[in-house]
Amino acid sequence: MAAPLKDASKLDIWMSTIPAPPTFSDPLEHRAFLKFRLAQAYRIFGKYRFDEGVAGHITVRDPIRPDCYWVNPWGIHFKLIQPEDLLLVDHGGKIQENESGPSRWLNQAAYMIHSAVHEARPDAICAAHSHTTYAKAFSALGVPLDPLTQDSLAFYKDHSLYGEFRGVVDDREEGLAIANALGSNKAVILQNHGILVATKSIESTVFYFISLEKCCKVQTVVDQAAAARGLKPRLIDPVEAANTWERLGSEAAGWFNGFVEFQLLEHEEGKKFEYVPAP
């Protein structure tokens, strides 16, 4: 990650103006909210065309059983996912019968990757991976992003590169290798594959995934334009890059930026979270 901001006073003031995420005293209500939010996240991914057939997955750690996570059943389109469809899976890949939705088809790659990430990163509540267009294209270069734009600085020294491709992820060793490449960063570029983002909330994971896909697009456009003109892109100064990362790369910034994506979806669908306790 980037070095801490030397003068944090402006950052503290800015952070104090950001709304706080919801909190829950009832763990069952918390679980219900996370399931509702995760299903929304899938539908947002569907809206952005982040689907690639049945590939791609988003997971969220269960607040009641932190050794388990919720994931989509394989073979249902992102746009159709609802909370009742989700599967609760432990780190051994076992679907929890009493809590899971009716379709019990688990994507093996989702299990291999996300189990390893959630085990290696107890702080990561949500992780997302998919084969998006510009991430795939940029990942084929086998290099990390440059500090080219203000938006890309959210990932300044906070993303890594997994510089190998070993086919479809169908064994634990490959999942562990990806988790190891991610390290403590919020994102990893998977060579010839796509991207993975892992953060402390569903909202920030969704936002940073969307943003990283856009940054991959910008990088490819800049590289093409620079090559055509015989120029080198002008990179942002490391000090300014680190300072900007402090503001744009924080969990609070990610959550707030992601929050508006869910706000828009709720406006479009006319559906908000409502908790009805079981009798």
mmCIF file of all heavy atoms in Angstrom, residues 28-76:
data_model
loop_
_atom_site.group_PDB
_atom_site.id
_atom_site.type_symbol
_atom_site.label_atom_id
_atom_site.label_comp_id
_atom_site.label_asym_id
_atom_site.label_seq_id
_atom_site.Cartn_x
_atom_site.Cartn_y
_atom_site.Cartn_z
ATOM 1 N N LEU A 28 -28.938 -11.871 12.729
ATOM 2 C CA LEU A 28 -29.792 -12.401 11.666
ATOM 3 C C LEU A 28 -30.206 -11.300 10.690
ATOM 4 O O LEU A 28 -30.281 -11.516 9.480
ATOM 5 C CB LEU A 28 -31.033 -13.077 12.256
ATOM 6 C CG LEU A 28 -30.776 -14.398 12.984
ATOM 7 C CD1 LEU A 28 -32.067 -14.903 13.630
ATOM 8 C CD2 LEU A 28 -30.219 -15.446 12.022
ATOM 9 N N GLU A 29 -30.463 -10.103 11.224
ATOM 10 C CA GLU A 29 -30.773 -8.970 10.349
ATOM 11 C C GLU A 29 -29.546 -8.599 9.527
ATOM 12 O O GLU A 29 -29.658 -8.273 8.340
ATOM 13 C CB GLU A 29 -31.241 -7.773 11.166
ATOM 14 C CG GLU A 29 -31.632 -6.578 10.300
ATOM 15 C CD GLU A 29 -32.101 -5.377 11.096
ATOM 16 O OE1 GLU A 29 -31.977 -5.408 12.336
ATOM 17 O OE2 GLU A 29 -32.582 -4.403 10.475
ATOM 18 N N HIS A 30 -28.370 -8.641 10.156
ATOM 19 C CA HIS A 30 -27.125 -8.342 9.446
ATOM 20 C C HIS A 30 -26.934 -9.328 8.300
ATOM 21 O O HIS A 30 -26.603 -8.942 7.181
ATOM 22 C CB HIS A 30 -25.947 -8.408 10.418
ATOM 23 C CG HIS A 30 -24.667 -7.898 9.856
ATOM 24 N ND1 HIS A 30 -23.455 -8.062 10.480
ATOM 25 C CD2 HIS A 30 -24.390 -7.237 8.685
ATOM 26 C CE1 HIS A 30 -22.500 -7.516 9.758
ATOM 27 N NE2 HIS A 30 -23.037 -7.017 8.660
ATOM 28 N N ARG A 31 -27.140 -10.608 8.563
ATOM 29 C CA ARG A 31 -27.014 -11.623 7.519
ATOM 30 C C ARG A 31 -28.003 -11.352 6.388
ATOM 31 O O ARG A 31 -27.638 -11.416 5.204
ATOM 32 C CB ARG A 31 -27.257 -13.014 8.097
ATOM 33 C CG ARG A 31 -27.384 -14.081 7.033
ATOM 34 C CD ARG A 31 -27.779 -15.430 7.611
ATOM 35 N NE ARG A 31 -26.609 -16.164 8.087
ATOM 36 C CZ ARG A 31 -26.684 -17.385 8.625
ATOM 37 N NH1 ARG A 31 -27.859 -17.981 8.786
ATOM 38 N NH2 ARG A 31 -25.579 -18.002 9.008
ATOM 39 N N ALA A 32 -29.241 -11.035 6.751
ATOM 40 C CA ALA A 32 -30.255 -10.779 5.726
ATOM 41 C C ALA A 32 -29.881 -9.580 4.863
ATOM 42 O O ALA A 32 -30.076 -9.588 3.637
ATOM 43 C CB ALA A 32 -31.618 -10.551 6.379
ATOM 44 N N PHE A 33 -29.317 -8.540 5.503
ATOM 45 C CA PHE A 33 -28.906 -7.362 4.747
ATOM 46 C C PHE A 33 -27.769 -7.694 3.788
ATOM 47 O O PHE A 33 -27.782 -7.271 2.621
ATOM 48 C CB PHE A 33 -28.469 -6.244 5.691
ATOM 49 C CG PHE A 33 -27.923 -5.032 4.981
ATOM 50 C CD1 PHE A 33 -28.769 -4.125 4.371
ATOM 51 C CD2 PHE A 33 -26.552 -4.811 4.897
ATOM 52 C CE1 PHE A 33 -28.271 -3.015 3.696
ATOM 53 C CE2 PHE A 33 -26.047 -3.710 4.233
ATOM 54 C CZ PHE A 33 -26.911 -2.811 3.629
ATOM 55 N N LEU A 34 -26.786 -8.447 4.258
ATOM 56 C CA LEU A 34 -25.660 -8.790 3.399
ATOM 57 C C LEU A 34 -26.101 -9.652 2.217
ATOM 58 O O LEU A 34 -25.608 -9.483 1.098
ATOM 59 C CB LEU A 34 -24.577 -9.501 4.203
ATOM 60 C CG LEU A 34 -23.793 -8.642 5.205
ATOM 61 C CD1 LEU A 34 -22.786 -9.486 5.959
ATOM 62 C CD2 LEU A 34 -23.100 -7.464 4.522
ATOM 63 N N LYS A 35 -27.030 -10.552 2.448
ATOM 64 C CA LYS A 35 -27.546 -11.365 1.348
ATOM 65 C C LYS A 35 -28.297 -10.493 0.344
ATOM 66 O O LYS A 35 -28.142 -10.659 -0.882
ATOM 67 C CB LYS A 35 -28.469 -12.463 1.876
ATOM 68 C CG LYS A 35 -27.762 -13.556 2.651
ATOM 69 C CD LYS A 35 -28.756 -14.592 3.170
ATOM 70 C CE LYS A 35 -29.419 -15.360 2.040
ATOM 71 N NZ LYS A 35 -30.361 -16.384 2.559
ATOM 72 N N PHE A 36 -29.099 -9.570 0.856
ATOM 73 C CA PHE A 36 -29.820 -8.642 -0.025
ATOM 74 C C PHE A 36 -28.839 -7.811 -0.837
ATOM 75 O O PHE A 36 -28.992 -7.648 -2.054
ATOM 76 C CB PHE A 36 -30.709 -7.731 0.832
ATOM 77 C CG PHE A 36 -31.541 -6.762 0.050
ATOM 78 C CD1 PHE A 36 -32.762 -7.144 -0.488
ATOM 79 C CD2 PHE A 36 -31.108 -5.460 -0.146
ATOM 80 C CE1 PHE A 36 -33.538 -6.241 -1.211
ATOM 81 C CE2 PHE A 36 -31.872 -4.555 -0.869
ATOM 82 C CZ PHE A 36 -33.092 -4.947 -1.405
ATOM 83 N N ARG A 37 -27.799 -7.312 -0.163
ATOM 84 C CA ARG A 37 -26.802 -6.469 -0.813
ATOM 85 C C ARG A 37 -26.003 -7.258 -1.850
ATOM 86 O O ARG A 37 -25.681 -6.751 -2.926
ATOM 87 C CB ARG A 37 -25.873 -5.909 0.253
ATOM 88 C CG ARG A 37 -25.319 -4.524 0.032
ATOM 89 C CD ARG A 37 -26.338 -3.501 -0.294
ATOM 90 N NE ARG A 37 -25.973 -2.162 0.097
ATOM 91 C CZ ARG A 37 -26.734 -1.112 -0.133
ATOM 92 N NH1 ARG A 37 -27.894 -1.262 -0.763
ATOM 93 N NH2 ARG A 37 -26.364 0.092 0.241
ATOM 94 N N LEU A 38 -25.652 -8.501 -1.503
ATOM 95 C CA LEU A 38 -24.875 -9.319 -2.427
ATOM 96 C C LEU A 38 -25.671 -9.619 -3.695
ATOM 97 O O LEU A 38 -25.130 -9.549 -4.806
ATOM 98 C CB LEU A 38 -24.449 -10.625 -1.760
ATOM 99 C CG LEU A 38 -23.608 -11.590 -2.601
ATOM 100 C CD1 LEU A 38 -22.314 -10.930 -3.069
ATOM 101 C CD2 LEU A 38 -23.310 -12.866 -1.827
ATOM 102 N N ALA A 39 -26.938 -9.941 -3.539
ATOM 103 C CA ALA A 39 -27.782 -10.174 -4.714
ATOM 104 C C ALA A 39 -27.865 -8.911 -5.569
ATOM 105 O O ALA A 39 -27.817 -8.976 -6.804
ATOM 106 C CB ALA A 39 -29.171 -10.624 -4.282
ATOM 107 N N GLN A 40 -27.966 -7.758 -4.916
ATOM 108 C CA GLN A 40 -27.936 -6.486 -5.653
ATOM 109 C C GLN A 40 -26.627 -6.329 -6.404
ATOM 110 O O GLN A 40 -26.609 -5.869 -7.555
ATOM 111 C CB GLN A 40 -28.114 -5.312 -4.689
ATOM 112 C CG GLN A 40 -29.511 -5.115 -4.140
ATOM 113 C CD GLN A 40 -29.574 -3.881 -3.254
ATOM 114 O OE1 GLN A 40 -28.705 -3.663 -2.395
ATOM 115 N NE2 GLN A 40 -30.591 -3.065 -3.444
ATOM 116 N N ALA A 41 -25.512 -6.684 -5.754
ATOM 117 C CA ALA A 41 -24.196 -6.554 -6.391
ATOM 118 C C ALA A 41 -24.134 -7.375 -7.676
ATOM 119 O O ALA A 41 -23.598 -6.915 -8.695
ATOM 120 C CB ALA A 41 -23.099 -6.990 -5.423
ATOM 121 N N TYR A 42 -24.682 -8.570 -7.651
ATOM 122 C CA TYR A 42 -24.711 -9.384 -8.869
ATOM 123 C C TYR A 42 -25.516 -8.700 -9.962
ATOM 124 O O TYR A 42 -25.119 -8.700 -11.144
ATOM 125 C CB TYR A 42 -25.299 -10.762 -8.575
ATOM 126 C CG TYR A 42 -24.301 -11.734 -8.009
ATOM 127 C CD1 TYR A 42 -24.353 -12.123 -6.670
ATOM 128 C CD2 TYR A 42 -23.299 -12.278 -8.802
ATOM 129 C CE1 TYR A 42 -23.438 -13.019 -6.141
ATOM 130 C CE2 TYR A 42 -22.381 -13.176 -8.294
ATOM 131 C CZ TYR A 42 -22.454 -13.546 -6.963
ATOM 132 O OH TYR A 42 -21.538 -14.427 -6.460
ATOM 133 N N ARG A 43 -26.634 -8.116 -9.597
ATOM 134 C CA ARG A 43 -27.477 -7.464 -10.611
ATOM 135 C C ARG A 43 -26.792 -6.204 -11.151
ATOM 136 O O ARG A 43 -26.955 -5.869 -12.333
ATOM 137 C CB ARG A 43 -28.857 -7.158 -10.032
ATOM 138 C CG ARG A 43 -29.594 -8.418 -9.572
ATOM 139 C CD ARG A 43 -31.085 -8.224 -9.411
ATOM 140 N NE ARG A 43 -31.458 -7.244 -8.405
ATOM 141 C CZ ARG A 43 -31.573 -7.501 -7.096
ATOM 142 N NH1 ARG A 43 -31.322 -8.713 -6.631
ATOM 143 N NH2 ARG A 43 -31.943 -6.564 -6.248
ATOM 144 N N ILE A 44 -26.022 -5.516 -10.309
ATOM 145 C CA ILE A 44 -25.238 -4.378 -10.791
ATOM 146 C C ILE A 44 -24.178 -4.865 -11.779
ATOM 147 O O ILE A 44 -23.976 -4.267 -12.838
ATOM 148 C CB ILE A 44 -24.584 -3.628 -9.611
ATOM 149 C CG1 ILE A 44 -25.661 -2.887 -8.799
ATOM 150 C CG2 ILE A 44 -23.528 -2.640 -10.114
ATOM 151 C CD1 ILE A 44 -25.148 -2.300 -7.494
ATOM 152 N N PHE A 45 -23.508 -5.956 -11.459
ATOM 153 C CA PHE A 45 -22.528 -6.530 -12.391
ATOM 154 C C PHE A 45 -23.207 -6.905 -13.710
ATOM 155 O O PHE A 45 -22.639 -6.698 -14.785
ATOM 156 C CB PHE A 45 -21.858 -7.755 -11.763
ATOM 157 C CG PHE A 45 -20.592 -7.458 -11.014
ATOM 158 C CD1 PHE A 45 -20.446 -6.296 -10.273
ATOM 159 C CD2 PHE A 45 -19.535 -8.355 -11.020
ATOM 160 C CE1 PHE A 45 -19.289 -6.018 -9.576
ATOM 161 C CE2 PHE A 45 -18.355 -8.092 -10.332
ATOM 162 C CZ PHE A 45 -18.229 -6.922 -9.607
ATOM 163 N N GLY A 46 -24.404 -7.463 -13.620
ATOM 164 C CA GLY A 46 -25.133 -7.797 -14.835
ATOM 165 C C GLY A 46 -25.455 -6.572 -15.667
ATOM 166 O O GLY A 46 -25.357 -6.595 -16.897
ATOM 167 N N LYS A 47 -25.811 -5.488 -14.982
ATOM 168 C CA LYS A 47 -26.120 -4.241 -15.679
ATOM 169 C C LYS A 47 -24.901 -3.695 -16.416
ATOM 170 O O LYS A 47 -25.016 -3.153 -17.522
ATOM 171 C CB LYS A 47 -26.647 -3.206 -14.672
ATOM 172 C CG LYS A 47 -27.094 -1.900 -15.305
ATOM 173 C CD LYS A 47 -27.776 -1.001 -14.282
ATOM 174 C CE LYS A 47 -26.822 -0.487 -13.239
ATOM 175 N NZ LYS A 47 -27.442 0.556 -12.372
ATOM 176 N N TYR A 48 -23.728 -3.863 -15.819
ATOM 177 C CA TYR A 48 -22.487 -3.394 -16.439
ATOM 178 C C TYR A 48 -21.922 -4.392 -17.449
ATOM 179 O O TYR A 48 -20.854 -4.163 -18.012
ATOM 180 C CB TYR A 48 -21.434 -3.110 -15.360
ATOM 181 C CG TYR A 48 -21.539 -1.735 -14.748
ATOM 182 C CD1 TYR A 48 -22.232 -1.532 -13.560
ATOM 183 C CD2 TYR A 48 -20.950 -0.637 -15.359
ATOM 184 C CE1 TYR A 48 -22.327 -0.273 -12.978
ATOM 185 C CE2 TYR A 48 -21.030 0.623 -14.794
ATOM 186 C CZ TYR A 48 -21.724 0.798 -13.603
ATOM 187 O OH TYR A 48 -21.820 2.050 -13.053
ATOM 188 N N ARG A 49 -22.625 -5.486 -17.670
ATOM 189 C CA ARG A 49 -22.172 -6.545 -18.581
ATOM 190 C C ARG A 49 -20.843 -7.151 -18.131
ATOM 191 O O ARG A 49 -19.959 -7.440 -18.935
ATOM 192 C CB ARG A 49 -22.064 -6.016 -20.026
ATOM 193 C CG ARG A 49 -23.345 -5.435 -20.585
ATOM 194 C CD ARG A 49 -24.442 -6.478 -20.732
ATOM 195 N NE ARG A 49 -24.059 -7.578 -21.590
ATOM 196 C CZ ARG A 49 -24.228 -7.581 -22.911
ATOM 197 N NH1 ARG A 49 -24.798 -6.523 -23.515
ATOM 198 N NH2 ARG A 49 -23.874 -8.612 -23.644
ATOM 199 N N PHE A 50 -20.728 -7.357 -16.840
ATOM 200 C CA PHE A 50 -19.539 -7.990 -16.284
ATOM 201 C C PHE A 50 -19.655 -9.508 -16.284
ATOM 202 O O PHE A 50 -18.787 -10.199 -15.752
ATOM 203 C CB PHE A 50 -19.278 -7.496 -14.854
ATOM 204 C CG PHE A 50 -18.753 -6.085 -14.768
ATOM 205 C CD1 PHE A 50 -18.672 -5.439 -13.537
ATOM 206 C CD2 PHE A 50 -18.339 -5.400 -15.897
ATOM 207 C CE1 PHE A 50 -18.179 -4.138 -13.439
ATOM 208 C CE2 PHE A 50 -17.846 -4.098 -15.806
ATOM 209 C CZ PHE A 50 -17.766 -3.472 -14.574
ATOM 210 N N ASP A 51 -20.728 -10.017 -16.858
ATOM 211 C CA ASP A 51 -20.897 -11.457 -16.970
ATOM 212 C C ASP A 51 -20.127 -11.984 -18.185
ATOM 213 O O ASP A 51 -19.890 -11.256 -19.143
ATOM 214 C CB ASP A 51 -22.382 -11.793 -17.116
ATOM 215 C CG ASP A 51 -23.011 -11.069 -18.309
ATOM 216 O OD1 ASP A 51 -23.025 -9.820 -18.301
ATOM 217 O OD2 ASP A 51 -23.462 -11.745 -19.255
ATOM 218 N N GLU A 52 -19.744 -13.233 -18.134
ATOM 219 C CA GLU A 52 -19.121 -13.922 -19.261
ATOM 220 C C GLU A 52 -19.643 -15.353 -19.214
ATOM 221 O O GLU A 52 -18.994 -16.265 -18.679
ATOM 222 C CB GLU A 52 -17.596 -13.889 -19.149
ATOM 223 C CG GLU A 52 -16.852 -14.530 -20.310
ATOM 224 C CD GLU A 52 -16.941 -13.746 -21.609
ATOM 225 O OE1 GLU A 52 -17.170 -12.514 -21.547
ATOM 226 O OE2 GLU A 52 -16.788 -14.347 -22.681
ATOM 227 N N GLY A 53 -20.867 -15.536 -19.721
ATOM 228 C CA GLY A 53 -21.518 -16.830 -19.585
ATOM 229 C C GLY A 53 -21.782 -17.128 -18.121
ATOM 230 O O GLY A 53 -22.412 -16.343 -17.410
ATOM 231 N N VAL A 54 -21.247 -18.257 -17.634
ATOM 232 C CA VAL A 54 -21.435 -18.626 -16.226
ATOM 233 C C VAL A 54 -20.192 -18.316 -15.393
ATOM 234 O O VAL A 54 -20.095 -18.717 -14.226
ATOM 235 C CB VAL A 54 -21.795 -20.126 -16.092
ATOM 236 C CG1 VAL A 54 -23.128 -20.408 -16.737
ATOM 237 C CG2 VAL A 54 -20.703 -21.007 -16.711
ATOM 238 N N ALA A 55 -19.230 -17.601 -15.964
ATOM 239 C CA ALA A 55 -18.012 -17.244 -15.230
ATOM 240 C C ALA A 55 -18.255 -16.007 -14.375
ATOM 241 O O ALA A 55 -19.122 -15.184 -14.669
ATOM 242 C CB ALA A 55 -16.863 -16.995 -16.204
ATOM 243 N N GLY A 56 -17.466 -15.860 -13.332
ATOM 244 C CA GLY A 56 -17.536 -14.685 -12.468
ATOM 245 C C GLY A 56 -18.264 -14.988 -11.173
ATOM 246 O O GLY A 56 -19.222 -15.767 -11.151
ATOM 247 N N HIS A 57 -17.809 -14.342 -10.094
ATOM 248 C CA HIS A 57 -18.414 -14.604 -8.796
ATOM 249 C C HIS A 57 -18.086 -13.488 -7.814
ATOM 250 O O HIS A 57 -17.012 -12.874 -7.882
ATOM 251 C CB HIS A 57 -17.934 -15.944 -8.221
ATOM 252 C CG HIS A 57 -16.738 -16.517 -8.922
ATOM 253 N ND1 HIS A 57 -15.451 -16.188 -8.599
ATOM 254 C CD2 HIS A 57 -16.656 -17.376 -9.966
ATOM 255 C CE1 HIS A 57 -14.604 -16.835 -9.382
ATOM 256 N NE2 HIS A 57 -15.308 -17.555 -10.237
ATOM 257 N N ILE A 58 -19.018 -13.227 -6.926
ATOM 258 C CA ILE A 58 -18.841 -12.283 -5.818
ATOM 259 C C ILE A 58 -19.204 -13.053 -4.554
ATOM 260 O O ILE A 58 -20.198 -13.779 -4.531
ATOM 261 C CB ILE A 58 -19.743 -11.048 -5.943
ATOM 262 C CG1 ILE A 58 -19.733 -10.480 -7.366
ATOM 263 C CG2 ILE A 58 -19.331 -9.968 -4.941
ATOM 264 C CD1 ILE A 58 -20.795 -9.405 -7.598
ATOM 265 N N THR A 59 -18.418 -12.892 -3.515
ATOM 266 C CA THR A 59 -18.708 -13.563 -2.254
ATOM 267 C C THR A 59 -18.715 -12.563 -1.116
ATOM 268 O O THR A 59 -18.042 -11.528 -1.167
ATOM 269 C CB THR A 59 -17.662 -14.654 -1.938
ATOM 270 O OG1 THR A 59 -16.344 -14.073 -1.992
ATOM 271 C CG2 THR A 59 -17.752 -15.797 -2.928
ATOM 272 N N VAL A 60 -19.466 -12.891 -0.055
ATOM 273 C CA VAL A 60 -19.451 -12.082 1.162
ATOM 274 C C VAL A 60 -19.367 -13.018 2.365
ATOM 275 O O VAL A 60 -20.037 -14.059 2.412
ATOM 276 C CB VAL A 60 -20.685 -11.157 1.257
ATOM 277 C CG1 VAL A 60 -21.981 -11.943 1.396
ATOM 278 C CG2 VAL A 60 -20.538 -10.174 2.406
ATOM 279 N N ARG A 61 -18.520 -12.669 3.308
ATOM 280 C CA ARG A 61 -18.342 -13.471 4.520
ATOM 281 C C ARG A 61 -19.609 -13.409 5.371
ATOM 282 O O ARG A 61 -20.193 -12.331 5.561
ATOM 283 C CB ARG A 61 -17.140 -12.945 5.311
ATOM 284 C CG ARG A 61 -16.715 -13.854 6.462
ATOM 285 C CD ARG A 61 -15.602 -13.199 7.273
ATOM 286 N NE ARG A 61 -14.437 -12.859 6.479
ATOM 287 C CZ ARG A 61 -13.454 -13.704 6.196
ATOM 288 N NH1 ARG A 61 -13.511 -14.946 6.622
ATOM 289 N NH2 ARG A 61 -12.414 -13.302 5.490
ATOM 290 N N ASP A 62 -20.022 -14.526 5.898
ATOM 291 C CA ASP A 62 -21.222 -14.572 6.726
ATOM 292 C C ASP A 62 -20.926 -14.000 8.109
ATOM 293 O O ASP A 62 -19.918 -14.370 8.726
ATOM 294 C CB ASP A 62 -21.724 -16.015 6.853
ATOM 295 C CG ASP A 62 -23.026 -16.096 7.616
ATOM 296 O OD1 ASP A 62 -24.013 -15.499 7.156
ATOM 297 O OD2 ASP A 62 -23.058 -16.761 8.678
ATOM 298 N N PRO A 63 -21.780 -13.102 8.632
ATOM 299 C CA PRO A 63 -21.506 -12.486 9.937
ATOM 300 C C PRO A 63 -21.763 -13.426 11.116
ATOM 301 O O PRO A 63 -21.268 -13.178 12.209
ATOM 302 C CB PRO A 63 -22.483 -11.302 9.965
ATOM 303 C CG PRO A 63 -23.621 -11.742 9.101
ATOM 304 C CD PRO A 63 -22.996 -12.563 8.002
ATOM 305 N N ILE A 64 -22.525 -14.494 10.892
ATOM 306 C CA ILE A 64 -22.817 -15.449 11.952
ATOM 307 C C ILE A 64 -21.804 -16.580 11.968
ATOM 308 O O ILE A 64 -21.342 -17.010 13.027
ATOM 309 C CB ILE A 64 -24.244 -15.999 11.795
ATOM 310 C CG1 ILE A 64 -25.279 -14.862 11.918
ATOM 311 C CG2 ILE A 64 -24.535 -17.094 12.834
ATOM 312 C CD1 ILE A 64 -26.700 -15.282 11.648
ATOM 313 N N ARG A 65 -21.445 -17.036 10.794
ATOM 314 C CA ARG A 65 -20.448 -18.101 10.651
ATOM 315 C C ARG A 65 -19.311 -17.571 9.779
ATOM 316 O O ARG A 65 -19.313 -17.767 8.560
ATOM 317 C CB ARG A 65 -21.094 -19.340 10.033
ATOM 318 C CG ARG A 65 -22.224 -19.921 10.877
ATOM 319 C CD ARG A 65 -22.791 -21.165 10.212
ATOM 320 N NE ARG A 65 -21.745 -22.168 9.991
ATOM 321 C CZ ARG A 65 -21.941 -23.290 9.305
ATOM 322 N NH1 ARG A 65 -23.123 -23.540 8.765
ATOM 323 N NH2 ARG A 65 -20.952 -24.153 9.147
ATOM 324 N N PRO A 66 -18.347 -16.895 10.354
ATOM 325 C CA PRO A 66 -17.285 -16.255 9.561
ATOM 326 C C PRO A 66 -16.384 -17.230 8.815
ATOM 327 O O PRO A 66 -15.568 -16.794 7.991
ATOM 328 C CB PRO A 66 -16.494 -15.450 10.605
ATOM 329 C CG PRO A 66 -16.830 -16.070 11.919
ATOM 330 C CD PRO A 66 -18.230 -16.584 11.793
ATOM 331 N N ASP A 67 -16.524 -18.535 9.095
ATOM 332 C CA ASP A 67 -15.771 -19.524 8.334
ATOM 333 C C ASP A 67 -16.512 -19.906 7.054
ATOM 334 O O ASP A 67 -16.061 -20.787 6.311
ATOM 335 C CB ASP A 67 -15.543 -20.777 9.172
ATOM 336 C CG ASP A 67 -16.841 -21.453 9.594
ATOM 337 O OD1 ASP A 67 -17.838 -20.731 9.826
ATOM 338 O OD2 ASP A 67 -16.861 -22.697 9.678
ATOM 339 N N CYS A 68 -17.633 -19.236 6.787
ATOM 340 C CA CYS A 68 -18.435 -19.494 5.585
ATOM 341 C C CYS A 68 -18.652 -18.204 4.814
ATOM 342 O O CYS A 68 -18.529 -17.101 5.361
ATOM 343 C CB CYS A 68 -19.800 -20.084 5.953
ATOM 344 S SG CYS A 68 -19.744 -21.694 6.767
ATOM 345 N N TYR A 69 -18.993 -18.333 3.544
ATOM 346 C CA TYR A 69 -19.302 -17.175 2.722
ATOM 347 C C TYR A 69 -20.485 -17.493 1.815
ATOM 348 O O TYR A 69 -20.779 -18.648 1.518
ATOM 349 C CB TYR A 69 -18.087 -16.744 1.894
ATOM 350 C CG TYR A 69 -17.518 -17.845 1.017
ATOM 351 C CD1 TYR A 69 -18.023 -18.069 -0.267
ATOM 352 C CD2 TYR A 69 -16.479 -18.652 1.460
ATOM 353 C CE1 TYR A 69 -17.505 -19.080 -1.069
ATOM 354 C CE2 TYR A 69 -15.959 -19.663 0.670
ATOM 355 C CZ TYR A 69 -16.484 -19.873 -0.599
ATOM 356 O OH TYR A 69 -15.985 -20.879 -1.388
ATOM 357 N N TRP A 70 -21.163 -16.426 1.396
ATOM 358 C CA TRP A 70 -22.292 -16.540 0.476
ATOM 359 C C TRP A 70 -21.815 -16.322 -0.949
ATOM 360 O O TRP A 70 -20.971 -15.463 -1.199
ATOM 361 C CB TRP A 70 -23.372 -15.509 0.821
ATOM 362 C CG TRP A 70 -24.008 -15.746 2.170
ATOM 363 C CD1 TRP A 70 -23.645 -15.188 3.357
ATOM 364 C CD2 TRP A 70 -25.104 -16.621 2.447
ATOM 365 N NE1 TRP A 70 -24.451 -15.659 4.366
ATOM 366 C CE2 TRP A 70 -25.359 -16.545 3.834
ATOM 367 C CE3 TRP A 70 -25.908 -17.457 1.660
ATOM 368 C CZ2 TRP A 70 -26.371 -17.258 4.454
ATOM 369 C CZ3 TRP A 70 -26.921 -18.174 2.276
ATOM 370 C CH2 TRP A 70 -27.140 -18.081 3.658
ATOM 371 N N VAL A 71 -22.344 -17.111 -1.871
ATOM 372 C CA VAL A 71 -21.948 -17.031 -3.276
ATOM 373 C C VAL A 71 -23.144 -17.386 -4.149
ATOM 374 O O VAL A 71 -24.102 -18.023 -3.678
ATOM 375 C CB VAL A 71 -20.740 -17.970 -3.552
ATOM 376 C CG1 VAL A 71 -21.149 -19.438 -3.400
ATOM 377 C CG2 VAL A 71 -20.121 -17.717 -4.918
ATOM 378 N N ASN A 72 -23.067 -16.995 -5.413
ATOM 379 C CA ASN A 72 -24.150 -17.318 -6.344
ATOM 380 C C ASN A 72 -24.123 -18.788 -6.748
ATOM 381 O O ASN A 72 -23.050 -19.388 -6.849
ATOM 382 C CB ASN A 72 -24.035 -16.456 -7.610
ATOM 383 C CG ASN A 72 -22.721 -16.667 -8.349
ATOM 384 O OD1 ASN A 72 -21.651 -16.670 -7.743
ATOM 385 N ND2 ASN A 72 -22.789 -16.831 -9.657
ATOM 386 N N PRO A 73 -25.282 -19.385 -6.985
ATOM 387 C CA PRO A 73 -25.294 -20.730 -7.578
ATOM 388 C C PRO A 73 -24.890 -20.637 -9.037
ATOM 389 O O PRO A 73 -25.235 -19.679 -9.742
ATOM 390 C CB PRO A 73 -26.755 -21.170 -7.428
ATOM 391 C CG PRO A 73 -27.525 -19.890 -7.389
ATOM 392 C CD PRO A 73 -26.628 -18.874 -6.735
ATOM 393 N N TRP A 74 -24.142 -21.588 -9.486
ATOM 394 C CA TRP A 74 -23.664 -21.622 -10.867
ATOM 395 C C TRP A 74 -24.841 -21.830 -11.806
ATOM 396 O O TRP A 74 -25.734 -22.640 -11.557
ATOM 397 C CB TRP A 74 -22.674 -22.767 -11.014
ATOM 398 C CG TRP A 74 -21.646 -22.582 -12.071
ATOM 399 C CD1 TRP A 74 -21.239 -21.418 -12.640
ATOM 400 C CD2 TRP A 74 -20.851 -23.612 -12.666
ATOM 401 N NE1 TRP A 74 -20.239 -21.642 -13.549
ATOM 402 C CE2 TRP A 74 -19.983 -22.989 -13.579
ATOM 403 C CE3 TRP A 74 -20.775 -24.988 -12.500
ATOM 404 C CZ2 TRP A 74 -19.069 -23.705 -14.348
ATOM 405 C CZ3 TRP A 74 -19.854 -25.701 -13.249
ATOM 406 C CH2 TRP A 74 -19.026 -25.071 -14.171
ATOM 407 N N GLY A 75 -24.844 -21.077 -12.915
ATOM 408 C CA GLY A 75 -25.846 -21.309 -13.945
ATOM 409 C C GLY A 75 -27.068 -20.422 -13.856
ATOM 410 O O GLY A 75 -28.054 -20.669 -14.560
ATOM 411 N N ILE A 76 -27.044 -19.389 -12.993
ATOM 412 C CA ILE A 76 -28.112 -18.388 -12.951
ATOM 413 C C ILE A 76 -27.502 -17.051 -13.334
ATOM 414 O O ILE A 76 -26.488 -16.642 -12.773
ATOM 415 C CB ILE A 76 -28.773 -18.297 -11.569
ATOM 416 C CG1 ILE A 76 -29.414 -19.649 -11.190
ATOM 417 C CG2 ILE A 76 -29.832 -17.191 -11.544
ATOM 418 C CD1 ILE A 76 -30.074 -19.655 -9.829
#
